[in-house]
Amino acid sequence: MNTQELYQKTDAILARYGTEERSMIAVLQAVQEEYAYLPREVFPYLSERMGLSEAHIYGVATFYENFSLEPKGKYVIKVCDGTACHVRKSLPILDRLREELGLSADKITTDDLNFTVQTVACLGACGLAPAVTVNDKVYPAMTPDKASELLKTLKETL
Amino acid sequence: MAMANKQFMTVDGIPVEINGEKNLLELIRKVGVKMPTFCYHSELSIYGACRMCMVENQWGGLEAACSTPPKAGMEIRTNTERLRKYRKMILELLLANHCRDCTTCDNNGTCKLQDLAMRFDINDVRFPNTAEKPKIEDSSVSIVRDAHKCILCGDCVRMCNEVQNVGAIDFAHRGSKMTISTAFDIPLAESPCVGCGQCAQACPTGAIVVKNDIAKVWKALDDRGTKVTVQIAPAVRVALGRELGIAPGENAMGRIVAALRRMGFDEIYDTSTSADLTVLEESNELAKRLGEGKAELPLFSSCCPAWVRYCETRYPELMEHVSTCKSPMQMFAAVIRENNRTSSRKCVHVAVMPCTAKKFEAVRDEFKVEGKQDVDYVLTTQELVRMIKESGIMFRDIEPEAVDMPFGTMTGAGVIFGVTGGVTEAVLRRLASDKSNTALMSIAYTGVRGMEGVKEARVMVGEKEVRIGVVSGLKNASDLIERIKAGEHFDFVEVMACPGGCVSGGGQPFASNMEREKRGAGLYSADKLCSIKRSEENPLMMSLYNGILKGRVHELLHVHYHGAKQEDH
Amino acid sequence: MLKNRQDLIDLRAACRDAAKKQTRKILVCTGAGCVSSGSLDIYARLVELLRDRGIPCEVELAKDPHDDSVRVTKGGCPGFCEIGPLVRIDPEGYLYTRVKVSDCEEIIDKTIVAGELVERLVYKKDGKVYAKKNEIPFYQKQKRLVLEHCGEIDSDSIREYLSVGGYTAFEKALFDMSADDIVNEISESNLRGRGGGGFPTGKKWSQVKRQKATPKYIVCNGDEGDPGAFMDRSVMEDDPHRMLEGMMIAGLACGASEGYIYVRAEYPVAVKKLSRAIEQATELGLLGKDILGTGFDFTIRINRGAGAFVCGEGSALTASIEGKRGMPRVKPPRTVEHGLFNMPTVLNNVETFANVPSIIENGAAWYKSIGPENSPGTKAFALTGNVVNTGLIEVPMGTPLREVIFDIGGGIRGGAEFKAVQIGGPSGGCLTPEQLDLPLDFDSLKKVGAMIGSGGLVVMDSNTCMVEVARFFMHFTQNESCGKCVPCREGTKRMLEILERIVAGKGRDGDIELLLELADTISATALCGLGKTAPSPVVSTIKNFRSEYEAHIYEKRCPAGNCRKLKRISIDPALCKGCSKCSRGCPVGAISGTLKQPFVIDQEKCIKCEACVGTCPFHAIKED
C-alpha cells in the first residue's frame, strides 16, 4: 500500500465531501470506489482528519454490507437472494458458482483475486428472477448451468 | 384545588407527582420500585436496547421506561403478567448466548445478569447455548475483556465515548454478529485506551473486569524472605462497600491497616502522606510558572495516570504544560525504595489504589530504576476487598490500627486528593498567604468542591488573580482544552479522569451516584478530623527534605514523560 | 434560468407544443429488466437504422422539431417486465414485446416507414392478439397515477417532464397557496404514507410545520429494501422530477429549505437519474435560491445507502445520513420534532412524495374519489413470484387481491394452484385463497395480520413450502437486524434456528409454541418497527398453514415437497437387482447390500443428492 498516494486521494475526497461526520459514508464509499475496498491504512488517517475515533469509523464501516475491508476479486458476482429470486431458485446458482470457484459463505474471494461471489439483498430486478450481477451488469433468468457458462466466459477474458 | 399546578400520574395504582423527572424510570423509583435494566445509566445517553424496563400503560401499550418522559394522567403498571413473561424471555435469550459458568466468573455476585436471572426465577433456558469459546483479551495491564460474557448493552461504549472521549472501543458489525471492539479488533493495549476502567464500572456483567494481580501479591506475602510494603490511596478508605458491611462513605482506613497487617504486610503507609509531597512540589511549580508569567500556563495536574496517558496520546503538544511532579503513588514508591536501600531482604512494594490506570502507571518505563518497578504491584480496591474476604478476616469486627512510621503522618490536604477538586484545594491551602481558619474555609467555598464535572474558580494568590479549572471525566477535560486552545486563559487545571475523581475510580467497587457522593463527603470529613490541614505543616516533610530527598528532589519526585509509546507488559 | 412564473409557463407551453408536433415516437424501455435483456442495444440499433434510411430522427425533445422527424426515446419501465424488452410505437400505440436487435430492421421498415403492424412481435394470449399497450389485460385493470409517466417519457429530460405538465403543482403551491393551504389540501386528501405504516401524510406535515426550531428538513426515504419490491426504484429512475416536485411542495408547506434523498446502494441508476434531475431543476432555477423570484429557497441532496435494510427505518435512516451506524433510536422524541441532525423533519417515502403533485394539482376531492375513503388513491405493487405476468403494477387502493393476481397477473405460472401471496415483504404476512376477495388497503390488511408494507406481492403456488418461506424471511430479517435491541437481535436468531431445524426434519414437539412465544415477545418489545414486525411472516404462516408446520415436525414430511432434507429416497426392492452400481456412486456411503439382493439406503446418512437415482439401470430408486 502506497500510503502517500492513499493520503493524497483521501485528501481529494475529503475536499469534495467535507470532514464533518455527516460525510462519513460518502467518504468511505469514495475511498472504496478508488480501491475496491477500504484499506486499513485509511482508518487512522480519516480518524485524524475527521476527528472521530478509529473504532467509531471501523464500526460504521462494518455496519454496512457494502463496505469491504478486504480486497475484492476482479469480477464481483452477486447472486440476488431477494424473495422473487429465492422463490425461483437462486440458491442452486449460488451453490454452483461457489462450488466451481472453491468459495463458501466465509471465503468469498478466490486467492488469485479474480472472483468474488456473494449474495445481495433484492436488486429490484424481480421481473428477471433469478438474477445475477457481474460488476453490476445484470444477468437475468439464470440457472446453475447458465452460471457455469458465464464463469467460463469470464475466465476467458482474464 | 391547591394542587392545580402540580402534575400527577399513576404508577401501579399509586399517584406520583411529576417533578421534572426525565423519564419514567426516575419516577418509578419514587414509589419504591427498582426496575430491571441493563443499559440505563443516568450519566449516559439513553440507549433503550435491553427492553427490560418496559411498562404497560392504561391502554395496554408497552413503553420503555428509560426513554419515555412522564406525562400527566399517565397510568402505568410495572409488573404485569405480560411484562414478566417478556422480561423472562429477554433474560432467557441473553442467557442462551452467555457463558453460564457463574462460579468461576470474576463478577460472581456483582453481575446484573445473574441478579436479574435470580429475580425473575429463570430456571430453564430452552435454547441451545451458542456462546462462543471464551475470548479473553488481556493485553491491557488495567482491564480484561471477555467477549462471550458481553450482552451488548453498550454501556462501556457510551462511557468510553460520551464521558471519557477516549474512543478506544465502539460497536462493530451488526445484528447477531455485532460485537464491541477496538478498531480492527486490535489488542486494547495498542488502542487509544487510557486504562481508566470506567468501562468495567459500567459493565453489568463480567465482560470487562479489572485485571487481577492478587495472586502475585499473595505470593510475595507468603515469601518470608521478602519485605512487603504497601501504601493505601485516600479514596480507598471510603469505598470498601457493602460487601464488607461498610456504609457508603464510611472511613475504614484503620480497619484496612489492621487487615493488611494481618495479611502479612510488613510496613503500611497512607498515600496521603506523599500527597503532601505532591502539594509542595506542585505548588512550587505553579508559583514558579506564575512568577515567570510566560508560556506553559495553564499548569495541568499530573496525579492521574489516565489523564497523563490521554494527554500524551491526544494532545502531545500539551505535555509541556503537565506538571513534572510524579503522582503521590510514584513519589511514595521512590521514597520507600530509597528507604529500603539498606534492607537486607528483597523488597516488594504494593499500592492499593482506587484506580485501574495506576496498574499502567506502575509499569511505565519512567518509573523503573535499573529495570525494576518502584511499585511492584497495584491492587485496586476491588482486589483488596477480595483479599480481605479470602483471608477470612471479619472486617467489621476488626480493631482499627494506625499506619507505620517513619512515614506515618499525613494531613487533611493529602486525604482530599481522592475527590475532584481535592488536589486544587490542597495546592491553594499551600499557596494562600493567609493561614487562618477563615481562609481555609473560604478556599473550600471557592467552587472547587462538589461532584460536578467542570468547576471554575478565581482565587487570589498573593497579588495575582489565578484562574483555576477543575475537571473530572476526560470529555470534560478535552472540552476545557478546546476552550483553552480557542484562547481562554487558565492558570491551573486539575484533571481527574474518572467522573467525580478517584472516589469513582475504575478500580472501586461499583457505586451509585449517591454512594459516590457519600465517598467524597467521607474524605472531607476525614480532612476535618485531621489536626494538620496544610501539607507544609506536616512535620514529616521537613525530615524528608532534609533526609532522603536532600539533593535528589528532582530525581525522586519529578518525572519527564517520554511520550505515547510505552513498552507494554 | 427561469426568473418568474411566466417564464415557467412559457417554457412548459413550448415543451408541450414541441411534443405535440412530434407525433411519431419510438419508446424503448430502459428499465433494469429490459436493459439486462439488451434494450440499450436495441435503442442504438433503431437510431442507427433511422439514420441509415435517411429518416430524420431526434433522441431528445428538441426546441423546434421537424414535423416528420421520429423521436426515439429511452422510456423507462412500463412495468411489464415479463415480456421485455419492450418497444412502443406512437401514435399507433403498438407495443412490441421480447424485441431483439435483429427485429429492429423489420420494425423500422414495416411500422415506421409503412405504418404496418409487425404481428409476430405483439403480445398474444389465449389466441388473442393485443397490438396496443392499453388493450393488454395486464394494463386494463390498472390505474397508473404515480407510475403514469414510467415508460412514457425520457427521465433524463426535464423538458419532457414539463411537456406533460411537470411542475404545475409546484407552481400552484408556490404562487397560489399558503403553507396552510398546502397542508390542508394534503390532510384533506387523506394521503397515507406509502412506506408501510400508512401514517397520514398531512398530519405529519402539519406537525413539522408547527415546530419552531429551524432549520427543518425534508427527507425522502428511497431505501426500498423489502426483497421483492421495486416500485420506488421505478419512480426514481423513470420519473424523478415527480418526486422532487413532491419534496419541494413539502418544503414549501413545512418551511424547510433543505431536502435529502436516501437511495439504497443497490440502485445506482436511480442515483444517476436523480442527480441529473436535480442538476436540471437547479439549472432552470426550480431548485436553489430565490426560486422563481419568490424568495423560497430549496436544495436537494442525495445520500447513497451502503447496504443496510434497517436504514429504511426512519431514525436509522437519519442516523445514516448523519454518517453513523444505521441503528434506530428510541422514541420519543419523534422524527417530526427531532429528526435529521436533531431538527424537525418530514420523512416520507418515494411513492408518497410522488403522489403529492397530482393531489395539489387536481385537489383533495379528486384524489379521494379514487379508492376507499380511509385509504384513498392508488398503490403500486411489485408483482412477482409464481405468477404469469410479473412486473410493476398500480391499482386503486381497495382492489381485490383476486383481480391483481388473476386479471392483471394472469394467474399462476405453469398452471399450478394458487397457494398464498406474501404481502409487505419481511414485515408482512401471507394471504391465502380464502382471502382472495380481500380489498388491498391499509385497514383491511391490518385486520388479517398482514400489511401493505412498501408493496411487494410475492405469489406462491402449491409447490411452495410455507415453512421454508417463513424461514427465508426470518433469515432475511435476522441477517438485517441492526443488533441493537435484545429481542430482535437474539429473538430472531432463535426463531431462525428453530425454523432451520424444522425444515431440516429436526423439529421438536413444542417448537410451534416456542416460535409463537418468541414472536409475541419480539413484536411487543422490539425497539423499532422493523423488529416489531419481524415475526409477522412466521405468525401469519403458522396461523394459515399450521398443518404444514406439523407435518414437518411430527411426520418429518414436507407437504409441498420442497424441503430437500426431508426428501426420502428409497430403493424399490421389487425392481432392484442388487447390481451395487448405486452404492459405488454414493458420495457418502449411504447405500449398502449384498450383491444380487435388494440394496437399501440408510436415511440417516443420505444427503438427498440424488446421485444414485440416475445411475440405476432398473429405475428402482425413487423419491417417496
Side-chain angles (χ1 to χ4, degrees):
Chain A
M1 176 61 51
N2 179 342
T3 48
Q4 231 31 56
E5 186 192 285
L6 174 73
Y7 297 161
Q8 273 169 19
K9 284 183 173 170
T10 309
D11 283 339
I13 288 165
L14 289 169
R16 202 161 110 220
Y17 293 101
T19 53
E20 296 105 343
E21 184 175 10
R22 66 168 77 174
S23 314
M24 179 56 73
I25 290 169
V27 167
L28 292 177
Q29 281 168 335
V31 173
Q32 180 151 307
E33 262 151 41
E34 200 68 54
Y35 288 91
Y37 77 109
L38 297 173
R40 182 162 176 168
E41 294 81 353
V42 85
F43 285 77
Y45 193 66
L46 285 178
S47 166
E48 199 188 309
R49 292 286 322 266
M50 300 183 81
L52 293 160
S53 78
E54 259 188 85
H56 177 90
I57 304 173
Y58 178 73
V60 174
T62 53
F63 184 85
Y64 296 98
E65 197 104 359
N66 293 5
F67 293 124
S68 171
L69 299 175
E70 272 149 36
K72 287 256 173 98
K74 188 175 164 207
Y75 289 112
V76 179
I77 306 177
K78 294 180 187 171
V79 180
C80 178
D81 198 28
T83 324
C85 290
H86 184 80
V87 170
R88 289 199 186 170
K89 315 263 182 281
S90 58
L91 274 183
I93 300 167
L94 179 69
D95 289 344
R96 177 74 67 91
L97 288 169
R98 281 181 177 162
E99 192 187 309
E100 293 201 0
L101 293 167
L103 298 175
S104 67
D106 297 319
K107 180 178 166 52
I108 62 164
T109 301
T110 54
D111 292 332
D112 56 11
L113 287 184
N114 279 330
F115 292 97
T116 296
V117 175
Q118 57 190 97
T119 57
V120 60
C122 187
L123 292 162
C126 312
L128 319 163
V132 166
T133 65
V134 180
N135 295 354
D136 294 330
K137 182 178 187 311
V138 181
Y139 291 83
M142 291 300 282
T143 62
D145 289 344
K146 278 194 191 168
S148 299
E149 276 302 304
L150 179 63
L151 266 189
K152 225 172 100 191
T153 328
L154 293 175
K155 278 179 182 163
E156 277 162 14
T157 65
L158 283 173
Chain B
M1 283 208 5
M3 290 197 265
N5 46 14
K6 289 189 175 176
Q7 296 202 310
F8 286 87
M9 60 172 281
T10 318
V11 178
D12 295 330
I14 306 165
V16 200
E17 190 191 333
I18 303 171
N19 205 349
E21 285 84 8
K22 287 194 303 264
N23 52 52
L24 291 177
L25 271 186
E26 289 182 8
L27 195 99
I28 292 167
R29 204 166 293 148
K30 291 212 300 201
V31 304
V33 172
K34 192 177 166 200
M35 290 293 284
T37 58
F38 285 114
C39 66
Y40 180 77
H41 282 266
S42 55
E43 67 269 39
L44 301 177
S45 67
I46 302 286
Y47 189 58
C50 75
R51 315 311 282 169
M52 285 295 287
C53 70
M54 303 288 275
V55 293
E56 200 169 334
N57 63 26
Q58 65 256 56
W59 304 284
L62 300 188
E63 283 166 297
C66 65
S67 58
T68 309
K71 248 187 15 213
M74 210 176 199
E75 290 170 29
I76 56 165
R77 301 219 149 254
T78 62
N79 179 23
T80 66
E81 193 190 340
R82 276 177 82 201
L83 294 172
R84 281 192 303 272
K85 190 171 80 179
Y86 297 148
R87 285 172 191 159
K88 280 184 156 202
M89 179 58 96
I90 290 170
L91 287 167
E92 199 180 331
L93 286 168
L94 283 174
L95 286 167
N97 228 356
H98 197 84
C99 161
R100 302 207 282 274
D101 298 339
C102 289
T103 50
T104 54
C105 177
D106 241 32
N107 270 24
N108 187 12
T110 55
C111 169
K112 242 177 173 176
L113 181 58
Q114 186 187 38
D115 174 49
L116 290 179
M118 279 195 276
R119 249 177 85 179
F120 287 89
D121 198 17
I122 309 294
N123 40 34
D124 183 24
V125 176
R126 289 166 290 175
F127 310 104
N129 192 337
T130 47
E132 281 165 26
K133 288 255 164 337
K135 195 188 153 202
I136 311 274
E137 208 281 279
D138 61 356
S139 65
S140 158
V141 294
S142 303
I143 53 173
V144 181
R145 295 174 59 220
D146 183 354
H148 87 314
K149 288 177 182 163
C150 176
I151 59 167
L152 297 167
C153 65
D155 293 348
C156 55
V157 171
R158 283 172 291 140
M159 187 57 88
C160 190
N161 290 279
E162 293 173 7
V163 177
Q164 298 299 60
N165 196 33
V166 168
I169 49 172
D170 212 314
F171 291 109
H173 308 282
R174 83 169 180 229
S176 57
K177 296 194 190 83
M178 187 159 90
T179 58
I180 283 162
S181 156
T182 54
F184 291 91
D185 214 8
I186 52 169
L188 212 48
E190 293 165 27
S191 79
C193 173
V194 298
C196 70
Q198 286 300 309
C199 53
Q201 284 282 312
C203 180
T205 71
I208 308 181
V209 295
V210 171
K211 195 160 211 176
N212 185 324
D213 290 308
I214 294 174
K216 295 174 198 159
V217 174
W218 279 133
K219 195 170 174 214
L221 287 171
D222 287 341
D223 178 9
R224 290 179 181 235
T226 302
K227 173 181 172 185
V228 188
T229 54
V230 60
Q231 56 170 312
I232 304 149
V236 174
R237 68 202 63 189
V238 288
L240 283 193
R242 283 161 294 191
E243 287 171 75
L244 291 180
I246 299 296
E250 183 184 332
N251 184 349
M253 186 59 180
R255 273 183 274 184
I256 296 172
V257 173
L260 290 175
R261 205 162 272 139
R262 288 241 201 134
M263 285 177 205
F265 285 95
D266 296 289
E267 287 170 18
I268 301 163
Y269 301 111
D270 184 342
T271 313
S272 311
T273 301
S274 55
D276 283 337
L277 283 173
T278 309
V279 172
L280 298 181
E281 290 304 311
E282 206 155 292
S283 316
N284 276 347
E285 195 178 358
L286 178 60
K288 205 166 151 224
R289 291 200 193 194
L290 284 171
E292 285 166 1
K294 7 173 240 206
E296 272 109 57
L297 282 174
L299 176 69
F300 286 98
S301 66
S302 60
C303 313
C304 171
W307 150 243
V308 170
R309 177 88 165 141
Y310 183 74
C311 187
E312 64 188 351
T313 49
R314 191 67 72 101
Y315 303 103
E317 73 280 7
L318 287 182
M319 282 306 283
E320 290 293 300
H321 289 254
V322 174
S323 163
T324 58
C325 292
K326 289 181 181 176
S327 70
M329 175 180 93
Q330 292 299 156
M331 284 191 178
F332 216 152
V335 167
I336 289 168
R337 180 228 308 152
E338 288 310 308
N339 191 48
N340 282 339
R341 275 225 181 271
T342 52
S343 169
S344 54
R345 293 156 79 194
K346 183 187 167 198
C347 295
V348 162
H349 182 55
V350 178
V352 182
M353 295 281 139
C355 178
T356 47
K358 287 283 173 195
K359 288 181 186 265
F360 174 71
E361 185 179 48
V363 302
R364 286 189 73 121
D365 293 341
E366 293 90 340
F367 302 119
K368 284 177 193 158
V369 175
E370 289 151 19
K372 187 183 178 302
Q373 294 168 210
D374 277 350
V375 178
D376 295 283
Y377 307 114
V378 172
L379 293 173
T380 60
T381 313
Q382 287 183 21
E383 290 162 276
L384 173 66
V385 169
R386 266 193 216 164
M387 289 179 76
I388 293 171
K389 284 186 178 172
E390 201 173 345
S391 58
I393 293 166
M394 315 267 275
F395 193 74
R396 275 209 60 84
D397 304 333
I398 197 170
E399 282 289 323
E401 294 175 13
V403 294
D404 288 299
M405 292 307 279
F407 309 121
T409 50
M410 72 285 313
T411 69
V415 174
I416 57 173
F417 255 57
V419 60
T420 172
V423 174
T424 307
E425 189 171 341
V427 168
L428 289 176
R429 286 181 191 177
R430 162 78 183 111
L431 290 177
S433 40
D434 183 352
K435 301 286 178 189
S436 68
N437 268 340
T438 341
L440 206 63
M441 290 291 283
S442 70
I443 293 170
Y445 291 103
T446 49
V448 295
R449 288 195 182 185
M451 296 298 271
E452 299 87 351
V454 183
K455 292 170 283 185
E456 289 168 40
R458 288 172 195 273
V459 184
M460 293 305 291
V461 171
E463 301 292 289
K464 203 171 177 315
E465 191 192 64
V466 174
R467 186 149 184 227
I468 288 168
V470 175
V471 290
S472 64
L474 291 171
K475 173 74 166 68
N476 292 330
S478 70
D479 287 350
L480 191 77
I481 289 172
E482 292 309 323
R483 281 168 58 189
I484 292 167
K485 284 186 160 182
E488 242 182 286
H489 179 77
F490 283 88
D491 296 294
F492 180 74
V493 177
E494 174 201 302
V495 185
M496 295 192 187
C498 297
C502 311
V503 288
S504 326
Q508 300 274 55
F510 179 78
S512 68
N513 285 349
M514 202 183 61
E515 286 167 332
R516 289 174 178 196
E517 276 179 38
K518 284 192 176 156
R519 288 176 183 172
L523 290 182
Y524 285 118
S525 50
D527 170 34
K528 272 196 182 154
L529 285 175
C530 279
S531 38
I532 312 173
K533 301 277 191 282
R534 294 180 184 82
S535 303
E536 70 272 22
E537 291 166 8
N538 185 343
L540 179 64
M541 293 301 115
M542 184 77 82
S543 61
L544 279 173
Y545 278 99
N546 289 332
I548 289 173
L549 296 173
K550 196 164 180 124
R552 300 179 68 189
V553 168
H554 192 81
E555 176 202 338
L556 295 178
L557 303 186
H558 290 263
V559 59
H560 185 77
Y561 288 106
H562 305 330
K565 280 277 162 230
Q566 282 292 321
E567 285 287 316
D568 282 301
H569 255 43
Chain C
M1 186 86 170
L2 307 172
K3 294 251 176 294
N4 51 44
R5 185 176 198 174
Q6 197 54 47
D7 282 1
L8 174 61
I9 294 172
D10 291 346
L11 176 66
R12 191 186 296 118
C15 293
R16 192 173 274 155
D17 288 348
K20 252 189 216 151
K21 218 165 154 188
Q22 213 168 27
T23 50
R24 174 59 78 196
K25 247 188 350 186
I26 306 177
L27 281 146
V28 180
C29 171
T30 50
C34 292
V35 166
S36 67
S37 337
S39 70
L40 288 178
D41 295 338
I42 295 166
Y43 174 84
R45 179 69 181 144
L46 289 168
V47 173
E48 183 188 39
L49 283 165
L50 286 169
R51 293 202 167 129
D52 282 356
R53 305 274 190 283
I55 302 168
C57 91
E58 275 155 302
V59 290
E60 272 172 40
L61 180 59
K63 282 217 166 73
D64 186 22
H66 293 279
D67 286 352
D68 53 353
S69 68
V70 176
R71 186 143 59 93
V72 192
T73 298
K74 292 178 186 168
C77 177
F80 205 171
C81 308
E82 188 65 36
I83 54 168
L86 299 168
V87 174
R88 198 179 89 204
I89 316 278
D90 280 351
E92 293 88 350
Y94 295 151
L95 185 69
Y96 293 148
T97 66
R98 299 201 170 95
V99 177
K100 290 188 279 297
V101 174
S102 55
D103 298 325
C104 293
E105 205 158 344
E106 195 178 348
I107 294 176
I108 297 292
D109 291 341
K110 271 201 170 160
T111 314
I112 302 297
V113 177
E116 290 167 22
L117 180 72
V118 184
E119 208 187 296
R120 65 175 184 90
L121 289 178
V122 300
Y123 180 73
K124 299 174 198 75
K125 190 169 187 265
D126 303 329
K128 258 191 89 176
V129 177
Y130 301 89
K132 297 181 183 175
K133 179 185 158 196
N134 295 339
E135 295 168 352
I136 300 176
F138 179 76
Y139 288 106
Q140 276 202 326
K141 295 233 167 164
Q142 290 197 47
K143 180 162 181 68
R144 292 170 82 89
L145 208 71
V146 166
L147 304 176
E148 70 174 319
H149 299 141
C150 299
E152 299 292 327
I153 61 170
D154 180 357
S155 59
D156 275 337
S157 160
I158 193 169
R159 291 174 55 83
E160 289 217 17
Y161 184 64
L162 287 167
S163 80
V164 293
Y167 291 108
T168 309
F170 175 62
E171 180 197 327
K172 181 175 171 188
L174 187 59
F175 292 100
D176 304 336
M177 296 171 87
S178 68
D180 281 323
D181 291 341
I182 304 172
V183 172
N184 288 342
E185 196 73 52
I186 297 296
S187 303
E188 184 57 28
S189 78
N190 204 3
L191 170 65
R192 295 173 64 172
R194 265 39 179 172
F199 189 83
T201 306
K203 197 166 168 188
K204 195 181 267 181
W205 289 19
S206 72
Q207 281 166 353
V208 173
K209 183 176 177 293
R210 269 208 303 275
Q211 302 296 319
K212 300 225 160 42
T214 51
K216 300 173 183 179
Y217 297 103
I218 307 295
V219 178
C220 175
N221 183 349
D223 192 54
E224 182 177 51
D226 284 12
F230 53 104
M231 38 278 145
D232 290 349
R233 167 192 187 143
S234 195
V235 174
M236 289 188 280
E237 289 183 0
D238 300 339
D239 201 7
H241 286 287
R242 183 188 196 93
M243 195 187 99
L244 301 186
E245 193 177 349
M247 290 178 73
M248 288 150 73
I249 293 168
L252 268 175
C254 303
S257 55
E258 275 181 73
Y260 284 82
I261 308 172
Y262 189 90
V263 187
R264 74 189 281 248
E266 288 79 3
Y267 290 175
V269 180
V271 172
K272 230 166 67 189
K273 298 270 183 178
L274 284 166
S275 310
R276 178 100 187 93
I278 291 169
E279 220 171 87
Q280 290 175 335
T282 311
E283 272 166 27
L284 280 186
L286 292 169
L287 282 174
K289 294 249 171 239
D290 189 22
I291 295 166
L292 300 180
T294 57
F296 173 62
D297 302 336
F298 200 73
T299 53
I300 297 180
R301 280 195 236 200
I302 299 174
N303 283 70
R304 280 188 301 154
F309 172 72
V310 66
C311 288
E313 197 275 346
S315 59
L317 185 146
T318 50
S320 186
I321 295 181
E322 289 164 10
K324 303 184 172 90
R325 290 165 61 88
M327 299 205 287
R329 63 157 174 78
V330 282
K331 286 169 209 124
R334 294 167 308 148
T335 305
V336 289
E337 298 156 9
H338 292 274
L340 185 59
F341 304 119
N342 246 331
M343 301 310 287
T345 301
V346 166
L347 178 65
N348 281 128
N349 89 328
V350 172
E351 196 181 338
T352 314
F353 280 122
N355 266 294
V356 168
S358 44
I359 295 173
I360 294 297
E361 200 180 336
N362 304 311
W366 163 83
Y367 191 73
K368 279 202 293 195
S369 71
I370 308 161
E373 204 183 327
N374 284 330
S375 303
T378 58
K379 179 74 192 92
F381 289 102
L383 191 57
T384 59
N386 298 316
V387 66
V388 175
N389 304 329
T390 57
L392 206 55
I393 65 160
E394 186 176 351
V395 290
M397 282 275 188
T399 301
L401 184 59
R402 185 186 301 280
E403 248 172 60
V404 171
I405 295 175
F406 290 93
D407 298 349
I408 299 173
I412 304 302
R413 185 182 284 254
E417 234 172 281
F418 168 70
K419 182 170 186 179
V421 59
Q422 175 72 21
I423 183 163
S427 307
C430 63
L431 301 174
T432 58
E434 293 76 48
Q435 287 155 333
L436 271 174
D437 293 308
L438 193 77
L440 293 174
D441 61 60
F442 290 113
D443 303 326
S444 312
L445 283 167
K446 207 172 168 188
K447 268 183 225 150
V448 298
M451 70 189 273
I452 280 198
S454 55
L457 280 176
V458 185
V459 178
M460 286 165 286
D461 66 15
S462 44
N463 297 318
T464 315
C465 169
M466 297 313 286
V467 186
E468 163 58 25
V469 167
R471 187 211 61 83
F472 168 79
F473 280 113
M474 195 44 75
H475 175 76
F476 178 83
T477 23
Q478 195 268 336
N479 198 34
E480 294 294 340
S481 162
C482 82
K484 183 172 179 177
C485 77
V486 182
C488 176
R489 181 185 69 232
E490 305 296 338
T492 57
K493 175 175 141 181
R494 297 303 171 173
M495 287 185 79
L496 177 64
E497 184 180 275
I498 296 168
L499 289 163
E500 276 175 345
R501 73 174 175 238
I502 295 177
V503 297
K506 300 212 165 74
R508 308 170 192 156
D509 185 26
D511 273 356
I512 299 179
E513 291 71 22
L514 191 52
L515 279 173
L516 290 172
E517 199 184 325
L518 280 164
D520 179 30
T521 304
I522 299 169
S523 334
T525 62
L527 191 155
C528 79
L530 293 178
K532 283 185 204 294
T533 54
S536 303
V538 178
V539 175
S540 148
T541 47
I542 292 181
K543 193 172 131 205
N544 292 306
F545 299 96
R546 194 178 178 114
S547 63
E548 266 187 54
Y549 279 84
E550 287 165 348
H552 282 79
I553 295 170
Y554 300 106
E555 300 161 35
K556 310 292 172 209
R557 180 175 68 82
C558 172
N562 208 336
C563 296
R564 204 172 79 156
K565 288 190 176 150
L566 284 181
K567 276 185 190 162
R568 233 184 97 89
I569 295 162
S570 60
I571 303 174
D572 186 343
L575 295 174
C576 178
K577 304 269 187 253
C579 73
S580 87
K581 206 171 170 190
C582 56
S583 88
R584 278 177 276 138
C586 178
V588 289
I591 310 178
S592 59
T594 323
L595 278 175
K596 300 198 174 153
Q597 301 282 322
F599 275 52
V600 283
I601 300 177
D602 182 343
Q603 296 298 335
E604 284 295 304
K605 284 189 190 160
C606 174
I607 56 163
K608 334 287 180 196
C609 70
E610 301 185 26
C612 53
V613 177
T615 60
C616 179
F618 313 104
H619 307 293
I621 309 180
K622 286 190 205 91
E623 191 189 317
D624 289 354

